[in-house]
Amino acid sequence: MNISLHDKRFEPYIKEVAIQNRISAIAEQLSDDYRGKRPLFISMLNGAFWFTADLLKSFTGDCEISFVKYRSYQGLQSSGEVMQSLGIDVDIKDRDVVILEDIIDTGRTLSVFLEILMQHQPGSVKIATLLIKPETLQFPLVPDYVGFEIPNDFIVGYGLDYDGLGRNLRNLYVLEK
């Protein structure tokens, strides 16, 4: 069923069951990769909060969680500027860090955050993202865990929004063409 948010129409794209299955697979892989360790998961707010919650419910080891908030989107497009609202508030020196991201589009936000993160001297850094748009990537980022590779379409739902609306949708929706 198609939906309307503000002045735009969206059609179904990826169903919740497929999202949950993929997140469970990523959580299993992370659990294996960090067996016997205590990683610090850093969730990129606001969009990654659903991905983070579902992933950590399936992670089987000890872990810690922290949140940061950076944004670069206004409406349907990236503003080109990365703005920080909430920064790193825990000691990450020599820690195994896993960044949890909802979507990697151009990679600008994550690239800026990684520069800041590296100043805190983590022991290791891995990236897990629910979605990536390989054709729009402008920064040399290679996530270690990827839910879905998608084309350059505007997506809402499952934590992603269009001007504040749509984050609460259980499925992912794509902008109608």
Side-chain angles (χ1 to χ4, degrees):
M1 174 172 54
N2 292 5
I3 60 165
S4 293
L5 300 173
H6 294 297
D7 59 339
K8 304 288 183 210
R9 302 243 333 129
F10 296 85
E11 57 191 20
Y13 187 62
I14 302 175
K15 292 189 178 283
E16 180 183 23
V17 67
I19 297 167
Q20 293 301 323
N21 288 340
R22 191 65 196 112
I23 291 173
S24 292
I26 293 171
E28 185 176 324
Q29 187 178 358
L30 281 161
S31 296
D32 288 345
D33 292 351
Y34 288 93
R35 190 168 318 284
K37 298 180 180 181
R38 192 181 74 217
L40 171 65
F41 290 96
I42 298 180
S43 179
M44 303 289 286
L45 294 175
N46 284 339
F49 78 98
W50 275 40
F51 176 51
T52 299
D54 287 342
L55 183 110
L56 291 184
K57 284 188 264 183
S58 296
F59 183 79
T60 58
D62 290 335
C63 66
E64 294 178 43
I65 178 84
S66 188
F67 298 89
V68 295
K69 186 172 183 178
Y70 290 76
R71 67 181 176 91
S72 63
Y73 259 76
Q74 294 177 330
L76 297 177
Q77 298 189 21
S78 176
S79 67
E81 282 185 48
V82 176
M83 294 170 279
Q84 173 189 314
S85 303
L86 178 65
I88 299 169
D89 65 352
V90 295
D91 183 10
I92 63 169
K93 185 171 175 34
D94 300 324
R95 297 286 310 271
D96 293 313
V97 174
V98 180
I99 300 168
L100 302 178
E101 182 65 285
D102 57 346
I103 187 167
I104 299 174
D105 193 330
T106 64
R108 180 181 315 279
T109 301
L110 191 52
S111 183
V112 167
F113 176 65
L114 281 168
E115 285 181 31
I116 294 166
L117 184 76
M118 296 314 284
Q119 294 171 9
H120 294 268
Q121 302 174 334
S124 69
V125 177
K126 300 283 185 178
I127 301 167
T129 186
L130 178 62
L131 304 168
I132 188 169
K133 296 180 180 180
E135 66 189 67
T136 63
L137 204 55
Q138 297 174 7
F139 294 82
L141 297 171
V142 180
D144 303 277
Y145 310 89
V146 175
F148 301 94
E149 288 189 6
I150 63 171
N152 187 21
D153 293 322
F154 191 81
I155 306 295
V156 297
Y158 201 79
L160 289 90
D161 74 307
Y162 168 47
D163 277 346
L165 296 180
R167 288 192 197 278
N168 62 316
L169 300 169
R170 294 177 173 271
N171 302 307
L172 286 167
Y173 292 81
V174 62
L175 183 65
E176 281 184 356
K177 294 183 180 179

